[in-house]
Amino acid sequence: MAGGEDLKLLGMWASPFVLRAKLALSLKGISYEYVEEDLKNKSELLLKSNPVHNKVPVLIHNGKAVCESSVIVQYIDEAFPGTGSTLLPADPYERALARFWAAYIDDKLLTAWNQSSRGKTEEERTEAKKQLVIAVENVEGALRECSKGKPFFGGDSVGYVDVVLGSLLGWVRATEELQGIKPFDPAKTPLLAAWAERFGALEAVEPVMPDVKRLVEFGKRLAAAAAGGGN
């Protein structure tokens, strides 16, 4: 793997946002130091590196901190242009389209997904499930449009949208077991279901994906803590 520079990633193993940075680094073939953070007892390095939000992930490159997962992924692609996969398209329109769908995944799909289980009322959760179905169908359409019949959102190779959506796959699979919800149903969204299998099997992806069983246990602890009013 490429490396040799002072590159450090502060993260938490179960975070899909941290996984985005891990995926980008792995796909680019870049070596780095990973530091697991205890979010209940955040390190001085994290607090100093991200004083605005105190959140992971944080990428520290040659002593300079880069924060927010989508910004980090784009930074990695731009800071290491001749290494591994190119995640953002060279064409300005294609690049804008990729950024649009990446933002849609966060703003619409992920928001609806979270609300479908965390909504305060049954009505809120039901409405969120409806919005989740719409969002997933729209992303299915985006895959059809962006891929142009090729394997990934980026075409023949993995791109920015693949990384953003791919970071959710561990929790997609854990959610199937925890809630009986199958966001990428082969009967309803066959393109996304097939894409998920292809993406997860990539040599650069598989080693950094979190263990689904561990995510399920983590999800159960979070649910129990929420039900009991704990942290």
Side-chain angles (χ1 to χ4, degrees), residues 29-172:
I30 300 167
S31 59
Y32 62 100
E33 177 187 354
Y34 176 69
V35 180
E36 178 74 10
E37 286 284 340
D38 178 357
L39 298 185
K40 292 183 179 180
N41 185 25
K42 298 173 183 177
S43 71
E44 286 298 321
L45 181 59
L46 174 58
L47 297 174
K48 180 181 178 181
S49 301
N50 190 357
V52 176
H53 301 301
N54 301 152
K55 293 180 179 179
V56 293
V58 174
L59 184 74
I60 303 174
H61 185 200
N62 292 329
K64 297 178 180 179
V66 183
C67 305
E68 299 295 334
S69 64
S70 60
V71 176
I72 289 172
V73 172
Q74 293 180 60
Y75 176 84
I76 291 168
D77 198 40
E78 293 169 353
F80 302 93
T83 305
S85 301
T86 299
L87 302 177
L88 283 162
D91 179 76
Y93 175 75
E94 296 295 330
R95 194 183 310 131
L97 194 63
R99 285 172 170 152
F100 171 84
W101 283 113
Y104 182 89
I105 288 165
D106 278 352
D107 296 342
K108 300 297 182 180
L109 189 152
L110 189 54
T111 297
W113 186 10
N114 287 334
Q115 283 296 105
S116 68
S117 60
R118 300 177 189 174
K120 294 180 180 179
T121 66
E122 183 61 35
E123 289 76 12
E124 286 182 4
R125 293 190 291 272
T126 299
E127 178 59 27
K129 288 175 182 176
K130 292 178 182 178
Q131 294 304 315
L132 177 60
V133 169
I134 294 170
V136 171
E137 288 176 348
N138 285 338
V139 174
E140 171 94 349
L143 177 57
R144 185 181 297 107
E145 177 185 356
C146 295
S147 69
K148 298 178 176 64
K150 295 178 179 179
F152 302 104
F153 283 91
D156 288 319
S157 60
V158 169
Y160 179 49
V161 181
D162 296 284
V163 170
V164 171
L165 188 61
S167 69
L168 306 179
L169 284 181
W171 278 109
V172 165

